[in-house]
Amino acid sequence: MAKTGFLTDTTVCIGCKACEVACKQWNQLPADGYEMTGDSYDNTQTLSGSTWRHVAFIEKSGRKRLTGDVDLVALAEGVREELPEGAEIDGLGRWTFMSDVCKHCARAPCQQACPTGAIIRNEFDNVYIQPDVCNGCGYCVPACPYGVITSVPEDGRAFKCTLCYDRQKDGLEPACAKACPTDSIVFGEVEELERRAEERVRELHERGYTEAYVYGTEEVGGTGGIGGNHSKFILMDRPETYNLPAAPELPQEKVGPAVAASAVAAAVLSAAVALAFRR
Amino acid sequence: MRENGRHARGSESSHHPGDSYYNIPPIKRPHWTWEIFVYFWVGGIGAGAHAVTTIARLLGHGDAALLRAGRYITLGSMVLSPLLLISDLGRPERFYNMLRILKLRSPMSLGSWSLFLFGSLSGLIATAQAAQDGLLGGGNPAARLARAVPAQILSALAMPFALFVGSYGGILLAATAVPMWARNALLMGPTFLASSFSTGLSALSLALKLGRWGEKGTHAALRRAERLALVAELGLMAASLAKMGKYGKPLYGKPLAPLFFGGTVLGGILAPLALLSGRESRPRGILASVLVLLGGLAFRYVMVEGGKRSADDPQATFSHTRKEG
Ligand code: SF4
């Protein structure tokens, strides 16, 4: 089976949250309440056990004020020519959106942490929690470097995006990708998505947006033994702006050395006890 | 499903646009409640007590009172441990899934298996001890069977699992994305194990002192061993703080610092060291043991709780993943 994943292009996301809603509807996820953050129009805040797609609203104020008669259409179209009155393309500030989701890591920390084998890689090479096996130990939660997988107290188990395993089995694309009106979310085979991402970044660079890059590669985002992510993103700012770590590590790389260090400590402490009892 | 996604805001209140997303933690803290740090403590005591009595026995140290105390303490700890762990599960009725597979990359899996094996063996060993002590009655077949259990051999066999139970709490925490734990990956297991030895030794000497059991030589040996274990623990803790650097902030910070420095370092290590180094007396020994035991509990608490606070701090996670400081 081909490996599947997402490519989420933040440059065309309009913040409609259709993906969030479609995900909730298809997966029958409960509402998160009616809490106003006062931070932005994003009241969801974060991915959780009951929110598997989350659209972040990133407001960055402009560096320069626009003065005079500015061609707003040219601005919106991303024209990078000299603007009247020395205004900058970023002068209006930026309001970026980003639809976050489980990264479906190539070597997934949550899956390696899981003691019951509830978290598996399915035939599409997606990271999937078997709900009938999970016993709610919660160890996958701090293992995920992206804060994706979350325990649901009312249920006891951990939940996250399944990449619509059920829909894929029936040959359908995931609900979020289906609902996205701008194709900011594209579902497909990982290799195909990688090609597409590179092409898009090249296109953006040509148009003057040299800050565009792909997040979820072995160089950025999918680093430190994680081996890249099947969910990739095209970002326009530092990863932290989107609440993403720049260069996370696979936490399990530490298990071997930590066990070895503990074995040395065990030998030394045992020797100390032996010494005390010999005299 | 309300609570789960809503997070305590990061402790850092200053928000620099571009540096974080409204200070919402980028990673999630574990749900673990009080059972977990109490388990780390109780399991550590059992592991330490088993290790000490087994080593003493292997060296030909023949005090029956020490052996008896060690075996019953270990049994008690191994009865409590799984109960604590199971009650912390989101789905306690599925606890047996912990033994569904063995995963070498998962400290939680390794720990579950070690606990299962060490716990089962300590049950057999304690049964043999009970039969020897006449607790199972005289001539009945069960008692005779129990007396036939090769307790010595089983004790030696249980050693690696006991030592792993004593240390894996630290390894388990270290193998996560939580900055405070991950930064100190190599020393977490050893520090937990040193505390496991010191609390195990203290439990033994407390039991022997309270019951006025055991030979004089045993008490002296325990005292020497306690001192050595405490020195090791102190050294490892100092090294851990150095290794954690700025990521150890939750331990220096407001709610946890008094407990960590007052309860663990001063009350749980330095004070007992002073008590154990001076004139030997029964009350002093008892006080030292109690202090070490409480200090060990405080240590488990601040380590687990500190990690949760570390996970809530976006700047800690971001600079940790950028390999800063
Ligand atoms: S992003 Fe987190 S939850 Fe998703 S596969 Fe990776 S470790 Fe697991």
Side-chain angles (χ1 to χ4, degrees):
Chain A
M1 279 277 179
K3 300 176 180 176
T4 59
F6 287 124
L7 173 62
T8 307
D9 181 355
T10 63
T11 64
V12 291
C13 178
I14 55 171
C16 68
K17 293 211 180 217
C19 52
E20 248 188 69
V21 175
C23 175
K24 286 233 180 219
Q25 289 188 327
W26 180 264
N27 294 299
Q28 302 187 324
L29 300 174
D32 294 310
Y34 213 53
E35 188 181 301
M36 299 298 174
T37 61
D39 287 337
S40 76
Y41 291 120
D42 170 32
N43 292 310
T44 312
Q45 302 182 67
T46 170
L47 290 170
S48 73
S50 53
T51 298
W52 301 348
R53 266 277 178 194
H54 160 236
V55 183
F57 285 30
I58 295 129
E59 293 169 79
K60 297 200 101 182
S61 51
R63 286 191 293 272
K64 292 235 170 79
R65 278 193 154 273
L66 285 175
T67 48
D69 188 16
V70 178
D71 183 352
L72 290 174
V73 176
L75 256 183
E77 283 175 350
V79 178
R80 283 257 162 162
E81 290 151 14
E82 191 106 353
L83 291 165
E85 308 283 334
E88 294 208 339
I89 198 79
D90 243 6
L92 278 177
R94 217 186 303 136
W95 200 0
T96 326
F97 309 104
M98 184 258 199
S99 179
D100 199 5
V101 71
C102 170
K103 314 297 174 290
H104 290 281
C105 309
R107 294 173 75 212
C110 62
Q111 189 257 331
Q112 297 205 0
C114 178
T116 62
I119 306 182
I120 55 159
R121 303 204 75 90
N122 63 18
E123 65 267 41
F124 306 107
D125 206 41
N126 307 148
V127 181
Y128 177 72
I129 313 171
Q130 303 175 86
D132 55 333
V133 179
C134 175
N135 67 8
C137 76
Y139 189 40
C140 51
V141 175
C144 172
Y146 313 92
V148 172
I149 199 163
T150 313
S151 300
V152 176
E154 293 81 355
D155 180 278
R157 294 170 294 181
F159 291 91
K160 69 168 192 74
C161 161
T162 66
L163 234 156
C164 282
Y165 189 16
D166 49 350
R167 291 176 61 97
Q168 282 195 65
K169 268 184 169 298
D170 285 340
L172 298 169
E173 65 177 327
C176 57
K178 180 83 186 169
C180 179
T182 65
D183 258 358
S184 171
I185 301 174
V186 178
F187 165 78
E189 289 181 14
V190 173
E191 278 169 27
E192 169 58 28
L193 293 177
E194 275 164 4
R195 258 197 304 282
R196 199 175 164 135
E198 270 168 40
E199 207 173 288
R200 173 68 179 156
V201 166
R202 204 177 315 121
E203 186 188 311
L204 287 163
H205 284 191
E206 275 162 18
R207 290 174 62 179
Y209 294 100
T210 47
E211 62 273 43
Y213 67 98
V214 181
Y215 180 94
T217 61
E218 285 189 61
E219 289 73 45
V220 192
T223 48
I226 292 170
N229 309 115
H230 290 353
S231 299
K232 292 182 167 48
F233 301 83
I234 294 173
L235 303 180
M236 299 288 282
D237 213 321
R238 280 161 54 98
E240 286 84 353
T241 307
Y242 305 89
N243 225 8
L244 295 172
E249 275 177 7
L250 182 67
Q252 286 75 22
E253 303 279 59
K254 300 204 171 79
V255 174
V259 170
S262 300
V264 172
V268 172
L269 287 162
S270 300
V273 170
L275 192 75
F277 274 85
R278 273 229 6 231
R279 274 201 268 164
Chain B
M1 295 202 209
R2 179 86 184 71
E3 257 278 286
N4 61 84
R6 306 288 162 165
H7 273 264
R9 291 309 173 83
S11 48
E12 217 93 8
S13 56
S14 62
H15 166 56
H16 310 287
D19 282 342
S20 87
Y21 185 65
Y22 302 108
N23 248 355
I24 295 166
I27 59 169
K28 296 205 163 71
R29 47 150 77 192
H31 75 261
W32 304 330
T33 47
W34 64 271
E35 288 100 329
I36 293 304
F37 71 84
V38 174
Y39 157 67
F40 283 157
W41 180 62
V42 169
I45 292 172
H50 178 83
V52 171
T53 37
T54 306
I55 292 167
R57 192 65 193 205
L58 286 176
L59 290 173
H61 199 89
D63 192 341
L66 175 71
L67 204 59
R68 185 178 302 120
R71 287 174 174 175
Y72 289 145
I73 288 173
T74 307
L75 177 74
S77 140
M78 285 302 112
V79 169
L80 276 177
S81 293
L83 293 178
L84 288 165
L85 284 178
I86 290 169
S87 88
D88 185 66
L89 291 177
R91 289 289 174 102
E93 74 280 10
R94 291 185 183 171
F95 73 91
Y96 53 83
N97 278 359
M98 283 297 185
L99 304 181
R100 189 175 164 264
I101 58 167
L102 171 65
K103 212 186 228 174
L104 296 179
R105 295 276 277 186
S106 168
M108 184 79 92
S109 172
L110 293 175
S112 303
W113 277 102
S114 295
L115 187 66
F116 170 67
L117 293 171
F118 175 40
S120 306
L121 289 172
S122 71
L124 283 175
I125 296 163
T127 311
Q129 181 67 38
Q132 262 175 45
D133 294 344
L135 295 178
L136 304 181
N140 65 64
R144 247 177 302 163
L145 195 66
R147 264 197 296 274
V149 170
Q152 303 266 49
I153 297 170
L154 294 187
S155 295
L157 272 180
M159 267 301 262
F161 306 114
L163 292 169
F164 193 72
V165 166
S167 51
Y168 91 94
I171 301 172
L172 180 143
L173 299 180
T176 62
V178 175
M180 189 183 106
W181 296 336
R183 274 285 153 158
N184 191 31
L186 284 186
L187 296 179
M188 289 283 282
T191 314
F192 269 64
L193 190 62
S195 175
S196 162
F197 267 78
S198 72
T199 50
L201 283 160
S202 293
L204 285 169
S205 86
L206 184 64
L208 294 184
K209 286 224 158 60
L210 288 179
R212 295 182 189 275
W213 297 307
E215 297 157 10
K216 206 153 176 274
T218 308
H219 286 273
L222 282 173
R223 199 170 122 96
R224 282 195 296 268
E226 265 184 283
R227 278 202 305 257
L228 289 174
L230 286 172
V231 169
E233 195 178 345
L234 187 64
L236 281 164
M237 239 169 247
S240 293
L241 283 181
K243 194 89 216 341
M244 285 179 193
K246 68 173 180 185
Y247 299 96
K249 209 175 87 188
L251 299 180
Y252 311 119
K254 245 277 179 71
L256 296 182
L259 197 55
F260 178 60
F261 288 103
T264 300
V265 180
L266 190 65
I269 300 179
L270 293 174
L273 256 181
L275 284 170
L276 291 168
S277 302
R279 185 175 45 83
E280 187 170 0
S281 78
R282 187 168 173 268
R284 282 171 73 110
I286 291 178
L287 182 60
S289 297
V290 170
L291 284 174
V292 170
L293 285 168
L294 292 178
L297 180 61
F299 170 64
R300 304 311 198 287
Y301 173 75
V302 295
M303 287 312 281
V304 174
E305 194 53 34
K308 290 184 178 176
R309 283 163 196 277
S310 178
D312 284 346
D313 180 354
Q315 295 315 320
T317 296
F318 289 146
S319 81
H320 164 63
T321 49
R322 277 189 184 270
K323 320 275 179 300
E324 290 166 8

